[in-house]
Amino acid sequence: MSVTVPVLEVERLSFAYGPCKALDDVAFQVQPGECAILLGPNGAGKSTLFSLVTRLYEAPAGQIRIAGRSLRQDSCAALSRLGVVFQQPTLDLDLSVAQNLRYHAALHGLSRREAELRIREELERQGMYGRRDEKVRQLNGGHRRRVEIARALLHRPALLLLDEPSVGLDVPSRRALVDHIHALCRSQGLAVLWATHLIDEIGADDSLIVLHKGRVRAWGPVREVLASQGAATVSAAFHRLTAEGEG
Amino acid sequence: MRPLHYLRALRGIVARELYRFVHQRERFISALVRPLVWLFVFAAGFRSTLGLAISPPYETYILYEVYITPGLLGMIQLFNGMQSSLSMVYDREMGSMRTLLVSPLPRWFLLTAKLVAGVAVSILQAYVFLGVAWAYGIEAPVQGYLAVLPALLLSGVMLGALGLLLSSFIRQLENFAGVMNFVIFPMFFMSTALYPLWKIQESSELLYWLAQWNPFSQAVELIRFALYGRFNGVACGYTAGATALFLAAAIVGYNPSKGMMQRKGGA
């Protein structure tokens, strides 16, 4: 019997900025094909968690594994399986779409030929191939996000991190983004960790990780979290989970 | 990671920096105008007031324009190093530094590659400046134009590493003005770029001492000697030592577990 290795394993992770604890004993897993939604109010520790999973900081306590590789001991192998779309746009505005993607392909060690093939494949999937020679500055917010997703998937990661990627997008672009990511999970077995404030972005088959004051308050499939909280909606469950310890 | 991966990443980082530089024409022009103004205006004005005795590597009396040309090459690299530092602070604020740091390569390599990319741009600027200076009548021996390349490379890496180190300390873009006042101007004016050491000693022993130990002076002397086909061992050793020191400190500054990034809570 084969045992599936979680794509993301976070174990007993704690982190503090000086005396201020940002994450306290955080633990969860994301499996292949799973779309895990990370919910939490402002200051819950979501950004810190993302900074630790992307190794911008290193946690003194706890363990993070990506596709079975420890981020601390085998950081390059772990990061090679990770694709990220940051909350802030990170494309070079003065470069063309293709130049931005070639830069990313080079950082991941792809040959020119392989890079061109994958750029075509990913941009076609995003409906952006015809605009590959345009400068990013000429694209609107929704199209820039599409390019960022194409870029994050260029090296075929096992785990995609999305840090509030729909901020600033109009409703149709947001809907298209949500549908696209869910389709990728189903069709390619991509594991996704998606930080958001927008509850309408959560699908019925997703799993939820509710983070509040640096601790995981709930983790599991949406249905199980709703049942455990006796709530009919994610919004109600979220309010119950994050109201504890307030005031 | 395979060696080919490192090579491709380095090529990608350098290409991106060159593309960005070419696209930002104003940056190219302003980077060139600055030393040319010093050469055509400042040096021309001071030509008659400053008398220069014969001192190595020069074998005859020289015009002041000839004297400050290596200093202005250093100036190009100094400003470029600080410009890279500024762009790193900007990239960090805007988030694009994250895309670099999240790449599956060791951080020391990514930072060094970024540094080399900045130096490639500064060398391009330096040669365009030398071309204009040549057309103006400031000629170095032919072999000097080749010999100055490794000197420009080393001094560029040193000044770029200093910029990198500063960028690991600077949290916000607004603080960058301080770098201008506290780093670029003192480094440039307290150096041999504009006046020889013996001339500085005539007016102030303290200034002489500061200029002598200023790594920028050593970089300028390395360039000056190389441009005339001569090797200045002391300047080369000093510049290489300063490069190693600045680079090591910058890598520690960007280390995810030890450096400034973590204490500042930003990347």
Side-chain angles (χ1 to χ4, degrees), chain A residues 91-108:
Chain A
L91 294 167
D92 236 310
L93 298 181
D94 292 317
L95 300 191
S96 71
V97 170
Q99 283 170 338
N100 267 286
L101 297 193
R102 277 186 209 122
Y103 171 59
H104 181 84
L107 291 177
H108 281 267

Side-chain angles (χ1 to χ4, degrees), chain B residues 201-239:
Chain B
Q201 196 174 18
E202 278 178 2
S203 35
S204 162
E205 197 65 34
L206 175 67
L207 211 57
Y208 165 76
W209 187 85
L210 287 170
Q212 197 176 22
W213 291 102
N214 178 356
F216 183 66
S217 285
Q218 301 293 338
V220 168
E221 290 314 302
L222 179 68
I223 294 169
R224 189 186 309 283
F225 275 71
L227 192 58
Y228 288 85
R230 292 176 61 178
F231 178 69
N232 186 332
V234 175
C236 183
Y238 194 97
T239 311

Side-chain angles (χ1 to χ4, degrees), chain B residues 41-253:
Chain B
V41 182
F42 181 85
F46 272 75
R47 181 196 288 183
S48 54
T49 54
L50 284 172
L52 297 177
I54 298 172
S55 57
Y58 308 109
E59 289 164 352
T60 175
Y61 285 103
I62 48 161
L63 289 175
Y64 185 57
E65 287 98 317
V66 173
Y67 178 81
I68 71 163
T69 296
L72 296 178
L73 287 171
M75 180 202 222
I76 290 172
Q77 296 201 300
L78 177 64
F79 273 85
N80 202 282
M82 297 308 132
Q83 179 90 37
S84 308
S85 153
L86 172 70
S87 86
M88 273 190 233
V89 177
Y90 177 83
D91 281 358
R92 215 170 53 212
E93 279 212 330
M94 296 300 129
S96 52
M97 190 70 176
R98 289 182 157 208
T99 56
L100 180 73
L101 295 181
V102 85
S103 305
L105 288 163
R107 198 159 283 195
W108 66 262
F109 174 79
L110 293 168
L111 294 171
T112 310
K114 181 110 173 120
L115 192 63
V116 169
V119 174
V121 169
S122 81
I123 288 178
L124 194 72
Q125 291 170 327
Y127 272 100
V128 173
F129 172 77
L130 277 173
V132 177
W134 179 82
Y136 183 62
I138 300 166
E139 293 176 33
V142 179
Q143 73 275 16
Y145 289 99
L146 195 65
V148 80
L149 181 62
L152 287 172
L153 192 68
L154 183 59
S155 55
V157 172
M158 182 193 81
L159 294 165
L162 177 63
L164 193 67
L165 174 62
L166 291 170
S167 78
S168 74
F169 285 98
I170 301 167
R171 177 75 187 96
Q172 286 168 329
L173 215 52
E174 292 74 34
N175 301 345
F176 197 77
V179 173
M180 289 292 289
N181 295 331
F182 290 104
V183 180
I184 296 185
F185 291 143
M187 258 192 132
F188 184 64
F189 289 113
M190 279 190 283
S191 77
T192 57
L194 299 179
Y195 4 79
L197 270 178
W198 61 265
K199 201 91 179 157
I200 302 173
Q201 196 174 18
E202 278 178 2
S203 35
S204 162
E205 197 65 34
L206 175 67
L207 211 57
Y208 165 76
W209 187 85
L210 287 170
Q212 197 176 22
W213 291 102
N214 178 356
F216 183 66
S217 285
Q218 301 293 338
V220 168
E221 290 314 302
L222 179 68
I223 294 169
R224 189 186 309 283
F225 275 71
L227 192 58
Y228 288 85
R230 292 176 61 178
F231 178 69
N232 186 332
V234 175
C236 183
Y238 194 97
T239 311
T243 304
L245 189 72
F246 293 153
L247 192 57
I251 289 167
V252 170

Side-chain angles (χ1 to χ4, degrees), chain A:
Chain A
M1 206 172 88
S2 69
V3 180
T4 312
V5 177
V7 179
L8 175 63
E9 290 173 87
V10 176
E11 279 174 14
R12 313 205 62 176
L13 193 67
S14 295
F15 189 81
Y17 297 106
C20 180
K21 215 162 200 181
L23 290 177
D24 185 12
D25 207 20
V26 167
F28 64 87
Q29 295 180 351
V30 184
Q31 303 294 335
E34 181 181 342
C35 183
I37 306 289
L38 182 64
L39 278 182
N42 288 336
K46 299 194 297 292
S47 296
T48 303
L49 179 63
F50 267 59
S51 294
L52 292 170
V53 176
T54 52
R55 204 177 167 260
L56 291 171
Y57 316 149
E58 202 164 84
Q63 183 72 257
I64 299 171
R65 280 190 210 90
I66 299 172
R69 304 297 185 105
S70 163
L71 199 55
R72 187 177 295 133
Q73 277 105 35
D74 200 0
S75 59
C76 292
L79 290 174
S80 70
R81 306 307 316 279
L82 177 69
V84 193
V85 176
F86 292 105
Q87 187 179 351
Q88 290 166 311
T90 55
L91 294 167
D92 236 310
L93 298 181
D94 292 317
L95 300 191
S96 71
V97 170
Q99 283 170 338
N100 267 286
L101 297 193
R102 277 186 209 122
Y103 171 59
H104 181 84
L107 291 177
H108 281 267
L110 300 181
S111 69
R112 280 188 187 166
R113 198 169 150 271
E114 186 70 16
E116 292 307 320
L117 283 173
R118 294 206 194 169
I119 287 170
R120 181 175 190 139
E121 191 181 308
E122 291 302 332
L123 285 180
E124 275 178 347
R125 206 187 347 215
Q126 300 289 338
M128 293 294 291
Y129 188 64
R131 307 188 69 172
R132 65 191 178 281
D133 294 324
E134 285 182 32
K135 276 191 181 180
V136 171
R137 197 180 287 283
Q138 293 167 304
L139 305 180
N140 64 31
H143 288 152
R144 287 181 194 181
R145 272 296 184 222
R146 285 200 219 173
V147 176
E148 287 195 305
I149 290 168
R151 181 179 64 177
L153 296 172
L154 207 58
H155 58 287
R156 296 189 181 145
L159 173 68
L160 180 63
L161 289 190
L162 300 167
D163 189 3
E164 304 194 26
S166 55
V167 168
L169 297 187
D170 57 23
V171 175
S173 303
R174 241 178 66 195
R175 195 67 255 160
L177 177 71
V178 171
D179 292 345
H180 180 63
I181 297 299
H182 283 101
L184 283 174
C185 292
R186 283 191 301 272
S187 65
Q188 301 195 359
L190 183 72
V192 173
L193 180 64
W194 182 325
T196 183
H197 275 109
L198 302 165
I199 285 170
D200 64 340
E201 289 178 351
I202 303 169
D205 297 328
D206 293 344
S207 53
L208 271 185
I209 301 160
V210 179
L211 201 61
H212 183 48
K213 292 187 173 173
R215 294 185 72 95
V216 173
R217 301 294 163 133
W219 165 43
V222 170
R223 282 185 204 88
E224 284 180 19
V225 173
L226 294 187
S228 71
Q229 295 304 308
T233 63
V234 173
S235 181
F238 178 70
H239 285 300
R240 268 176 217 176
L241 286 161
T242 54
E244 287 171 27
E246 291 290 348

